[in-house]
Structures are given as C-alpha cells and as structure tokens.
Amino acid sequence: MTHRLTRHEPPAVPAVLAAAGVHAGYPGGPDVLDCVSLEVARGRRVALLGANGSGKTTLLRCLSGAHRPGAGEVLVDGRPLRHRSGALGEHRQRVQLVLQDPDDQLFSADVRRDVSFGPVNLGLPDAQVRTRVEEALTALGVAHLADRAVHQLSYGQRKRVAVAGAVAMRPEVLLLDEPTAGLDPRGVGELLAALERLEGLGTTVVMATHDVDLAWSWADEVAVVVDRVVRQDVLVKVLTDTDLLRSAGLTPPWPVRLLRALGREVDVLDPPRTAADVAALLA
Amino acid sequence: MTHRLTRHEPPAVPAVLAAAGVHAGYPGGPDVLDCVSLEVARGRRVALLGANGSGKTTLLRCLSGAHRPGAGEVLVDGRPLRHRSGALGEHRQRVQLVLQDPDDQLFSADVRRDVSFGPVNLGLPDAQVRTRVEEALTALGVAHLADRAVHQLSYGQRKRVAVAGAVAMRPEVLLLDEPTAGLDPRGVGELLAALERLEGLGTTVVMATHDVDLAWSWADEVAVVVDRVVRQDVLVKVLTDTDLLRSAGLTPPWPVRLLRALGREVDVLDPPRTAADVAALLA
Amino acid sequence: MARLAVDDAAWASRWRSRSTEEKALLALGLLLIAVTTGSAPVVTAVALLAVGCALAGARVPWRTYLRVLLAPAAFVLLGAASVAVTVGDGSTGAVWSAGPVAVTDETLGRALHVLGRSLAATSAMALLATTTPVVDLVAGLRRLRVPDAVVDVAELTYRMLFLLLDTAATVREAQAARLGYSGGPAARRSLGMLGSVVLVRAAGRARRLEAGLAGRGSSGTLRTLAPARPVSWTFVTLSVTVLAALAAWSVTG
Amino acid sequence: MHIAEGFLPPLHAAAWTVIAAPFVVHGAREVGRVARERPEARLLLGAAGAFTFVLSALKLPSVTGSSSHPTGTGVGAIVFRPPVMALLGSVVLLFQALLLAHGGITTLGANVFSMAVVGPWAGYGCYRLLRRAPLAVAVFVGVAVADLATYVTTAAQLALAFPDPVSGLLGAFARFFGIFAVTQVPLAVVEGILGVVLVRALHSWAGPELEGLGRVGAREEGVSVDA
C-alpha cells in the first residue's frame, strides 16, 4: 500500500475536509499524532479505523476544531482553519463531531430542547430554529420522540438524538466517533439508514470505529491510524493489508479472511460486501 | 427449535446455576421477564443473546442475587436461592456478576485495593486476601497494573480489573454483562484469553452480549431473550434459527449467513467457527 | 480519562512504595518549621531540602513540581504586595510613597517574610502531594481513627472526581461544538447546563456503583486491604535528625 | 479565593483550624448518621463531593479578563445543606490543596471556615429566608451571597493577620477587600446566574437519578431540588 500523496497529485476539487501534516498531543505526554494527513472528498464515505487509544478521537477532534494541532493544518475546501473564535465558529457550522457517548452530548431534559441548542446559539429566529429541529429529528427517524424526556430513551434512541443535535447545525461534514459502539444490530441498522438519508441531503459522513466488518460493509475509503500516523486508501487496498491491520491491532473483515483462506484475491473495484455477495462469488 | 424442557428430561447432575419460571420487573413497569428458564451446566459456555433492553441484564441480576424475582426461582446446584442476607452472601461467593461499565464496579482508585474489596468483605485474614488478589490479577493478565491508579488505565484494562475484582471472590460461576462492548479486537482477545485461564481453574462463564459473531465463535450453548422469555439450546440450533433471531432483533452470524446463501446446511455437532473452518468446508 | 499532573507524579514517584507515615513525617515536619520559623536562612534551608528531596530523592518531574510552586503565585504576589503597602499617613520611614500609599521598611520586611514563608511551605506541601497519592493519605486518615463514613466519602470523592472531570471536559467540548460558548449569555446558559449534567451524572454513577458494590459483598463500609509498606527506620531517623537540626537552628539562630 | 499555603502566621492558622473544627466535626457526625441509616448514602455523598470539586474547577468565561472559578459551595449548600457541605467542602479543599495547590494544609482551617462554613451557611440562610420569593431569586441571592460571604471572610482573615501599621485592621480589610474585589464581585454575580440555570435544569431533569439526592443531607422532607 502506498500513501496517498496529495501534494504530488492534487485532485481537481479540494477535499471538503483534510488534515495536512497534523501533529497533536496532550500536555505532559508524547505526541498522539505525528504528521498525519487525511482527505475527505465530498460525498465519499471515509471510515477511520484504529485500536482504542490509537488517536482516532484526537484526529476527529482536530478536524472538528475542538483540538488545536501542535503543528500542521486542518483544511476546509482547501482553506486552512484558523483557531480564532470567529473562524472557529464558522468551522463548527460546517463540521460537526458526534461523540461516542450520547450522554456527553445531551444537555437538556427533553429531546426537542436539546436538538435546538445549536440553532439557538446560532442566533436564528424561532421559526428557523423550529424548522431545523424538525428537519434533524425527521432525518434521524426520531421525530416521534420529540416530546420525550432524554432519560426515558433507549441507548440507541439517545444516540440518534445526539446525532440530530449535530445535524441541526446543518454541517457539510459529520464526524462520528464509534457511532455503533454499544448498539445492537437493530440499532446499528437504524443509525446507518439515518446516515444514508443525511448523505441524500448532501452531508459527507466520516466514521471512526474499530469494527472492521462495519467499515467493510459501509465505507468507500479507509484511513487506519497506526503508530501515530494515518494510512489512507480505497477500502479494499487497506482492508486486505494484513500486516498493516495487524500492526494496528485489527484483523481483516470476514470476507477477506475467508477469501484469503480459500486462496482467492479480493476485487478492488467491486468488493463482496455482504454474505450474498460472497456466496455469488463462490457459487 | 424446541424448548429445552428440563422438567421432562432432568439431567443427571443438576445445573450449577439455573433459573426456573422466573418473572421479574421493576416497580411501576410491566414485567421484563415472563416465566424464564435457563440452565448453566458446569463448564459449559453459555452466551445470553438479546437486543438492548431485552432483559439480559435483568436476568443476570436475578441469577447473581442482585434482583429478587417476582416469582420463580434461581437454583444453585439444584437448591433454590433464598433472599436472606446469610444465604445471599453465600450465593455471592459462588456467583459473581461483572457489569458492563467497569466504572460502576471500581470504587477505589488503587487497583490492588479495589480487587481486595470482595475478599475483605468475606472476612478473610490478610494473608489470604493478598493471595487471592494476586491470583485474580494474574489470571486476568493485569498483575503489572497492580500499582497503577484506576483512572490512569485504559477502558480495556479497567474492564479486566473489574473482572479481577469478581474473580477474587473465587466464584464458581462468572456472569459477564456485555464484556466486549467498547473493546477493540486486541482488547477482546485479551479478555477471552483471560476467561479461558479462568475456565482452566474451574470457573463456569456466562456471557450476555448482542454480538452474534462473538457468541458463534465462543459459546457452547446460546440462550436468546426474546419477548420476555428465554429460548435456550446448543449453539447451532439457536443461531441458525433465522426467525427466532429476527424477532430478537438479531441477525445470524456470518458463517451461517454465507452457508445459507450457498444453500448449505450447518453441521450441528461441528460448526465451522472461524474463517479457516468455513474455508475448509467449502474447499 | 482526566489526569492531573500532581496526581500522576504521586503515582509514579520513586517514593510511592515508602510508607505514608514516613513521608508525612518529613513533609509535615518541614511544613511546620517553614511556617513557624522567623529565620530567613532556615526558611531557605527548608525550601531547598523539600525541593531536593522531591527532585533528587523521589524523582518528581521538575516541571510538575515547579507548576505546584507557581500555582498560588498570583494570590501570594498580590497578597504580599498588599502587605507591603500601607495606606494613610505613610510619610514616616517610607521607602517609597505616592500620595497616601507608602511602602515602609517594616511593611516591606513583613511582605518578604510572608513571601518566603509561603514559598517554603508550598514546597514542603508539594513534597507530600507529589510523592503520595491521595488514596494513601485517605487510608492514613483511617488509621488515625477518622470515622469510616468520612474516609469512605473521601475515597469515593477521589475516585469519582476523575470520572466527573472527564464528563465535564467532554460535555463542555460538545457544547462548544454547537456554539455554546459563542457569547456571554450563551456561555452562562451552557455552564449552568454543564453543572446540572455533571450533577445528574454524579448521582447516576453513585446509584450504579451502589449496585456494583452490593454484588461484591459490600457490607456498608468500604474496607480494603492496604498494601504492606514497612516503615524505613533509616528514613525516619534521618528525617527526625534533619528536622531537629532545623528546629534547633530556628530557635537559636 | 484560597489562602495559599504558609501565607497565614502560625498562630492565625492554628486559631482558624480550632474555629473551623466544630463545624467539620458536626458535618462528620451528620455524615456518619446518614451513612448508618442508609449505607448507600456514602456513595451519593462521594459523588456530591466529586461534583463540588468539579464545579469549583470549571473555568468561567472571562470575568474581568482573568480566569476564575466558581466556589461551588453556594450551589452545594442549597442542594446538600450546610452541615454536610462543611464536611464535603473540607474534603474538597484538602484535595484542592493536594492536587491543584489551591490553598494549603496549614491554611486549611481558615479556608474551611470561609468556604465550607460561612459561605454555605450565609447562602443557605438567604435561600431559606427567600423561600416565598420565586425560586430563581432565592437561588441567585443564595449563591451570590455564599460567594460574597466567603470572600468577605477571607479578606477579614487576611486583615486580622496583616493589620495595617497606620490604618489598622479596618484599613487592611479595605485593602484586601479592594484588591480582590475586582475579580470576586463579578464572580459572585456570574456564579449566582449559573446557580439559577443549574437548579432550573435540575428541576427539568427530574429523572430517577435525582431521587434521594436532595435528601442526602436533609433531616426533613422537601429540600430544594425536589421542592
């Protein structure tokens, strides 16, 4: 696998969101990220893979503007992000990060009021706030929960309400940190369906996860955080690279493991994503 | 699939832990469990599957003595559990429950001291407490963390320390609630290896999870919580029952999905658990 | 999870395995001499000894130690400046004056004395804080016959404050992402909500921890087995000798 | 505003410790009584202590430029009541000294007296006196008064320790009060506003988590949070 060297082959359209040579760390500790580059093209599904503690979350925090890189830059549409309050505020309307634990993101007692938090802070008039809240709740499939108290919701419902809170900001890029952690299969399905609706509305989705099978079934591109750097490529290139995955503390997805065990190669352009795909290939 | 009707075909040796016709609920709500029966034979790996909120945790809490069933009984070696403090205390030495969030079980910031809590409560002399603590830390592979602060540990490490706290009670049965939730593949591997060591020492392990693939690769028997009842059988019988799994909000594990898509049956006695097993079957 | 530099230093210190009693004897002894002595050389000696023990003996990272020493700087400097200044008729013996405000020899001496005392005392306290985790000190309180309930509450406070610091930091960041700190009124609203979220989470933690501990045979009090840390009589003898010498110097010098 | 380690003369430090001690002992008795009646209360009290620590570690949006923190004791006194706050406040002040170098061991008594005794009692007193006023007013006044009372006490403690050679105690008090008033008075107002938002938000939660929270420190029913 090779690095995607953006500087040598600049794409025609700059990535909607990118990191270029980002170094990041926390006070009193060593760097967590060491000259990391990442590109998110508009409309491309990027899965950010890595073990717990590998720096996935830190990278997402850099991209969202929550963490200021020690060196390097975060670029939106090719323009570097400035960490001044005005520029940061604007950035936050374009890029929203949804944290792993929904309870860290739900500050109000009831669903509607919580989702309105962002739009109200934008200083929008009431009517517009209302529109945005309804729109976000509908997109996430939780409109029927609007008048419920947050603590009455199931974990999966809280998760989708938390995403709705970010979506009400109408971001161009939605960064999700471990969105499926703790969700049962039904919850995962509902969340993925909601994300697809958002993509239909023009939102680009980036997902950090350690679930390799999820990445395999969902992503267009994969970026792996390993040893403080990021290696990004199209899905199959990364997820068939057993050495890379092993050094990242991950294993290849099951279709790759199976096809490998059968001595067969995986098609880069048309990977078999589901059990039906694999069966069709083997039949 | 049929119920395992224990009353009709009593096993020669009573189950080390069992639930018989258990009803359970919470004040002000409907029953969560409705005449549930479950059997855990000594040394058999039982996976308790179910969607979030299906009642898995409530059943584990009944089995551990933490929740008193509204009706029905919990049996240890065929003898019903009495909810009197003496009997309950004895029960807790035999059956230990590890909660999903390790921070709900770790109250001391000092790892070694936290693990000593259970043995101290048993009123053991200091020397024996020390032996048990070291033994538990070693079994869980966290002896090197004994002098660290709990808040300095990673999530996976805290999880294993929490299990060590339960293991220090030297239980015969260890009940684990979603033990792999939030763990990356390496963390899952370390935990499963630790559980295998415990089984080597004679502990019977029951695991509640919604990860069907994990259950497939690990369990001997599966009990599914669906519509407030439990259906228990050997691994393959349950995990190939697509209707049952669908009504439980789950999907079959990938080897089952693949073999089904290929129109093949799954061997009940020797299920293909890994990618290599499946490949051997297909080659 | 949330980390505090002083706490990290205490857990990693080379003196971590020393008994709490011997560390407390040395540090509190130095602290007592620092606040009671009137002699500038003794104050200096105490400060140097505390710094030496922490950096050379316990191998505390010097940045962490320095940060502890500087933490109260704003208060100490403002406070000392205020002691140095007298308001009113400051014409007699003024070193410096402007209108009714003056600095005299006497007030300046007093300010410098307070400054030195604070610095020496802080270095002695820092010696204890950077070498002994709070759990050990809390366990020490139990040995001093402080009631169980109080010690339990202190131990739980220590454990939970890291969880809640984490929650507070994460929630605050999530609020900032949705522009919760974009202006004064928004910030005040956000902070109030932050406080309530932390309190609700604290209560939830307590309830779940209660359930978690019940399963481990909790009988009310949270007794655990403290790791055996034998007292080093060499350390104690050395400490007592040094403290006695400093005390003697302070009285005679 | 914590008096730094070693800042007070030894006699003053000792005297304040003696003065604060009965309140702390009373708080400890109260905690012991609650813990005997309901052993699980120690967990809630530990959580309350951690909450107080975290609240006092929150950075407020710049008040007059400098970064400042709320004292947290006003809100604590309203939710947990002053006797319990005396003990929790002492534990928190000890941890602040050891973990953050805010305050100190020799000045613990003085700081406990101002922050964990005078502040909570003054704030709680005002809050109770305004029982019939709208909740927001009662909470605002209670929290702000707790803050100001703490600060006035600290200024008085410093003045007693360092009387002005010319203008005496009063002059010294005016000076210490003046120097720190720049940050402390706006802080009291902001903390009062925060307290109102916080207590209002708590009311709207009304989830199962909060059951028993207000009753932790209360002898009688109907305390603040569930009032």
Side-chain angles (χ1 to χ4, degrees), chain C residues 98-124:
Chain C
V101 182
V103 174
T104 67
D105 274 337
E106 189 203 339
T107 59
L108 190 63
R110 206 157 62 139
L112 286 176
H113 175 65
V114 169
L115 209 60
R117 185 170 69 199
S118 275
L119 199 67
T122 304
S123 19

Side-chain angles (χ1 to χ4, degrees), chain A residues 88-281:
Chain A
L88 205 51
E90 202 189 305
H91 183 73
R92 283 172 168 155
Q93 293 177 49
R94 305 187 65 180
V95 180
Q96 276 285 309
L97 169 60
V98 179
L99 305 171
Q100 178 171 350
D101 187 347
D103 295 333
D104 287 338
Q105 228 150 331
L106 302 171
F107 330 119
S108 309
D110 74 275
V111 170
R112 199 189 299 274
R113 216 187 308 169
D114 195 273
V115 175
S116 73
F117 182 80
V120 166
N121 288 331
L122 281 175
L124 296 175
D126 286 2
Q128 279 186 44
V129 169
R130 247 175 246 125
T131 314
R132 285 202 179 199
V133 170
E134 297 310 320
E135 179 190 278
L137 289 171
T138 308
L140 269 299
V142 285
H144 60 295
L145 304 174
D147 296 313
R148 298 274 290 278
V150 166
H151 66 260
Q152 292 172 341
L153 306 183
S154 74
Y155 185 75
Q157 291 170 332
R158 292 210 298 285
K159 203 117 180 179
R160 280 185 287 150
V161 170
V163 178
V167 165
M169 300 293 279
R170 289 202 186 145
E172 293 171 47
V173 183
L174 192 60
L175 308 170
L176 303 165
D177 196 3
E178 299 282 2
T180 61
L183 290 187
D184 57 19
R186 188 176 291 161
V188 172
E190 285 168 343
L191 183 72
L192 292 181
L195 293 182
E196 211 162 312
R197 280 195 292 277
L198 290 176
E199 287 173 318
L201 299 169
T203 313
T204 303
V205 180
V206 176
M207 198 187 270
T209 180
H210 54 243
D211 185 338
V212 183
D213 286 334
L214 173 74
W216 179 262
S217 63
W218 178 81
D220 297 314
E221 283 184 43
V222 173
V224 179
V225 190
V226 51
D227 289 338
R228 291 176 296 155
V229 299
V230 166
R231 307 238 274 155
Q232 181 183 8
D233 212 322
V234 291
L235 180 76
V236 175
K237 284 265 181 74
V238 177
L239 292 185
T240 55
D241 188 336
T242 317
D243 291 340
L244 173 65
L245 290 177
R246 186 178 312 118
S247 61
L250 304 169
T251 44
W254 72 261
V256 174
R257 295 204 308 274
L258 177 68
L259 291 171
R260 279 281 163 81
L262 288 165
R264 299 179 56 152
E265 277 310 301
V266 185
D267 187 345
V268 173
L269 291 181
D270 186 22
R273 295 194 187 239
T274 65
D277 291 351
V278 178
L281 204 67

Side-chain angles (χ1 to χ4, degrees), chain C residues 82 85-86 110 117 152 172, chain D residues 6-7 42 163-164 175-176:
Chain C
S82 144
V85 168
T86 169
R110 206 157 62 139
R117 185 170 69 199
D152 289 348
R172 191 178 184 129
Chain D
F7 200 84
R42 21 188 122 204
D164 193 288
R175 210 171 51 224
F176 283 113

Side-chain angles (χ1 to χ4, degrees), chain C residues 33-49 112-113 115-121 123 246 249:
Chain C
I33 290 168
V35 292
T36 50
T37 186
S39 142
V42 173
V43 161
T44 316
V46 166
L48 289 177
L49 253 167
L112 286 176
H113 175 65
L115 209 60
R117 185 170 69 199
S118 275
L119 199 67
S123 19
L246 282 171
W249 187 11

